[in-house]
């Protein structure tokens, strides 16, 4: 058994991040400033789109996106139940109604056919989530949106390196939102980025991200002449800081190298689990797409095992292997059950996957030996508890 605990989702960094953060601290500019501006620029160069806005989380970014699109009471927003709760919470923050569309059982992403079934006169936005880094079927989702005059806001929290056809995720839909939370492929502790090609939206989101003030703080303090500023709209406190951007600049620079390592570990898992009928591996990448490989999730065949998924996770912890569940379907969370009357059976495909998946450690921080330890532990548990 492994001697030390393998932490799930530990970020990977080097001396560049440390030196940049120290430089920022010494510069005295700790808030939103030149480094945030540079990080925004580098990020939109990477995703190949016109505008970008650094924020303090993807949740903040999703909230701003829905706000700028005018989502409010009486509107409906369609998304997947198999996501993190914040994708859905932001719909409620706008006073709108979340509407779930069940997933595709193979890709685990939102099923475009289910989206079509859920559209009403009140539908305003579709939020596809690229689960684990696998891009959703954006051709079909865009076609549905166009036909029904809906906006598309992509939750790309898992999908920084993802590509769909010739386009990078971030340059496809009306607005896309990325997360830089600690466990994500690019980490700034807390943080996120909004990308869009719409100048009006980005400028309004920028204003709303800093209290709704007429000038952002960076411009306020860097101009040589005095200017008063005023509150144009009651905004939020969602801005990214230069300390976060200091991490982001170098995390972005290492993203390609890190992706190579994650691909290597992904293939090690795929190879090792191919012979285990108790385990379903992530389905292969669709032709013409690039999976961001944020999370390697296996699905347990519970009919072939004597234990549940949660017990399986528990056994892994006892083997000193950290892992995660992404995700328990949102409609089954207490608030959503109590408020909307959702129950088991409402979205059977999301529930089936949600009861059986678990995510294994995957990241540039790992060594080949770490990955071998995970594989050994999985094989041991399967052997001990198979029917
Ligand atoms: C992490 C995550 C979020 C939220 O990101 P934050 O930056 O922590 O706000 C949203 N959606 C999904 C699918 C996520 O995994």
């Amino acid at each position: 058994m492994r001697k030390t605990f393998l932490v799930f989702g530990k970020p990977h960094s080097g001396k560049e991040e440390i030196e940049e953060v120290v430089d920022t601290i010494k510069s005295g500019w700790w808030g939103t400033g030149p480094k945030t501006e540079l990080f925004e620029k580098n990020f939109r160069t990477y995703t190949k789109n016109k505008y970008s806005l650094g924020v303090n989380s993807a949740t903040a970014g999703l909230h701003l996106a829905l706000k700028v699109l005018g989502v409010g009471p009486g509107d409906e927003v369609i998304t997947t139940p198999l996501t993190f709760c914040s994708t859905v919470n932001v719909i409620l923050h706008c006073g709108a109604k979340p509407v779930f569309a069940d997933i595709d059982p193979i890709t685990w992403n939102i099923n475009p056919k289910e989206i079509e079934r859920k559209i009403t006169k009140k539908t305003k936005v579709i939020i596809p989530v690229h689960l684990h880094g696998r891009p959703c079927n954006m051709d079909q989702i865009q076609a549905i949106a166009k036909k029904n005059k809906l906006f598309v806001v992509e939750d790309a929290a898992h999908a920084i390196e993802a590509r769909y056809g010739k386009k990078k995720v971030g340059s496809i839909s009306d607005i896309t939102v990325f997360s830089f939370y600690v466990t994500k492929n690019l980490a700034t502790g807390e943080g996120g980025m909004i990308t869009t090609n719409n100048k009006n939206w980005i400028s309004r989101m920028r204003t709303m991200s800093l209290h709704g003030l007429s000038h952002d703080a960076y411009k306020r303090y860097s101009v040589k002449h005095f200017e008063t500023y005023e509150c144009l709209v009651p905004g939020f406190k969602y801005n990214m800081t230069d300390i976060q951007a200091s991490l982001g600049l170098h995390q972005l620079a290492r993203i390609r190298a890190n992706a190579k390592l994650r691909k290597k570990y992904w293939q090690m898992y795929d190879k090792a689990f191919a012979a285990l009928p108790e385990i379903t591996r992530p389905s292969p990448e669709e032709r013409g797409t690039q999976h961001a490989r944020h999370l390697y999730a296996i699905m347990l065949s519970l009919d072939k095992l004597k234990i549940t998924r949660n017990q399986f996770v528990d056994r892994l912890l006892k083997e000193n292997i950290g892992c995660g569940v992404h995700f328990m379907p949102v409609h089954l969370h207490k608030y959503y059950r109590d408020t909307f009357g959702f129950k088991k059976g409402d979205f059977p495909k999301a529930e089936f996957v949600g009861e059986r998946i678990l995510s294994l450690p995957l990241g540039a921080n790992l060594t080949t030996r770490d990955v071998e330890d995970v594989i050994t532990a999985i094989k041991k548990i399967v052997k001990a508890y198979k029917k």
Side-chain angles (χ1 to χ4, degrees):
M1 188 186 118
R2 191 185 157 90
K3 293 255 179 344
T4 56
F5 187 71
L6 183 61
V7 176
F8 178 85
K10 196 171 164 184
H12 174 69
S13 67
K15 69 173 188 337
E16 293 84 355
E17 279 89 337
I18 294 169
E19 284 168 2
E20 196 73 50
V21 169
V22 169
D23 179 72
T24 303
I25 291 170
K26 287 181 178 165
S27 80
W29 199 276
W30 297 7
T32 306
K35 289 191 185 172
T36 303
E37 236 174 52
L38 180 63
F39 181 40
E40 286 171 346
K41 181 168 162 278
N42 291 358
F43 197 86
R44 67 177 173 263
T45 304
Y46 176 74
T47 54
K48 296 190 171 63
N49 62 319
K50 282 194 193 145
Y51 307 108
S52 50
L53 170 66
V55 284
N56 56 21
S57 73
T59 306
L62 289 165
H63 188 197
L64 285 178
L66 295 186
K67 276 286 185 191
V68 85
L69 297 175
V71 173
D75 294 329
E76 292 178 359
V77 177
I78 298 177
T79 192
T80 169
L82 199 63
T83 183
F84 185 56
C85 62
S86 81
T87 315
V88 192
N89 290 345
V90 294
I91 301 170
L92 297 172
H93 296 339
C94 294
K97 183 183 165 193
V99 174
F100 293 115
D102 210 349
I103 61 160
D104 177 298
I106 304 297
T107 66
W108 306 341
N109 276 330
I110 195 165
N111 182 344
K113 287 198 185 70
E114 293 294 322
I115 296 178
E116 271 191 304
R117 284 187 48 224
K118 293 303 179 86
I119 293 174
T120 70
K121 283 201 174 68
K122 295 175 176 172
T123 310
K124 194 152 192 173
V125 178
I126 305 168
I127 309 182
V129 179
H130 306 299
L131 194 76
H132 304 163
R134 176 190 304 277
C136 292
N137 190 325
M138 293 313 297
D139 281 347
Q140 287 183 28
I141 292 170
Q142 290 295 347
I144 292 166
K146 203 169 171 198
K147 190 172 139 204
N148 296 280
K149 297 193 170 62
L150 307 175
F151 295 114
V152 178
V153 173
E154 293 176 44
D155 178 338
H158 297 178
I160 291 178
E161 303 92 326
R163 186 172 47 72
Y164 188 82
K166 288 197 171 57
K167 287 188 165 176
K168 295 239 4 147
V169 164
S171 65
I172 302 169
S173 296
D174 294 304
I175 300 176
T176 304
V177 181
F178 298 87
S179 171
F180 307 142
Y181 177 64
V182 196
T183 59
K184 303 286 156 82
N185 286 3
L186 188 166
T188 63
E190 298 285 1
M193 189 72 74
I194 307 174
T195 61
T196 181
N197 285 323
N198 187 305
K199 193 175 179 181
N200 175 31
W201 291 342
I202 205 78
S203 135
R204 282 165 57 208
M205 286 190 285
R206 191 175 288 283
T207 302
M208 280 197 290
S209 74
L210 199 63
H211 308 295
L213 294 179
S214 50
H215 301 281
D216 62 49
Y218 176 54
K219 292 201 185 96
R220 259 198 282 144
Y221 296 113
S222 63
V223 287
K224 295 282 186 290
H225 62 283
F226 179 76
E227 237 183 304
T228 53
Y229 50 90
E230 57 183 339
C231 180
L232 303 175
V233 288
F236 305 96
K237 190 66 200 292
Y238 283 170
N239 56 308
M240 174 176 275
T241 69
D242 273 21
I243 296 182
Q244 291 167 317
S246 304
L247 294 167
L249 282 167
H250 298 284
Q251 289 274 294
L252 182 62
R254 56 176 95 248
I255 201 124
R256 283 205 174 87
N258 287 357
K260 265 191 201 145
L261 269 176
R262 279 204 312 277
K263 183 173 184 181
K264 178 182 154 193
Y265 299 149
W266 185 284
Q267 288 170 340
M268 283 174 71
Y269 283 144
D270 256 357
K271 195 161 164 245
F273 303 144
L276 298 180
E278 296 80 10
I279 284 174
T280 303
R281 297 168 295 162
S283 64
E285 208 161 24
E286 286 86 49
R287 188 189 288 267
T289 72
Q290 171 73 59
H291 195 302
R293 293 191 175 85
H294 172 51
L295 293 167
Y296 189 94
I298 55 172
M299 188 161 78
L300 303 176
S301 297
L302 295 180
D303 55 330
K304 297 189 177 79
L305 292 165
K306 285 185 267 193
I307 51 174
T308 64
R309 187 272 318 277
N310 289 359
Q311 289 167 328
F312 198 102
V313 171
D314 209 52
R315 298 298 182 281
L316 266 175
L317 291 178
K318 294 203 168 69
E319 294 290 326
N320 264 340
I321 308 290
C323 56
V325 170
H326 306 90
F327 294 94
M328 170 188 174
V330 177
H331 70 284
L332 296 180
H333 287 234
K334 178 172 167 50
Y335 177 84
Y336 287 89
R337 279 186 279 119
D338 291 354
T339 310
F340 298 97
F342 289 125
K343 55 188 186 312
K344 248 191 176 168
D346 286 347
F347 304 97
K349 296 193 170 71
E351 290 164 22
F352 185 91
V353 175
E355 262 173 35
R356 289 164 174 79
I357 44 171
L358 63 120
S359 313
L360 306 180
L362 181 73
N365 208 42
L366 302 176
T367 63
T368 309
R369 184 63 202 278
D370 292 331
V371 177
E372 282 164 358
D373 286 346
V374 178
I375 291 169
T376 305
I378 296 266
K379 284 183 173 167
K380 183 174 161 187
I381 297 166
V382 167
K383 196 171 171 209
Y385 294 100
K386 68 179 183 188
K387 277 186 183 160

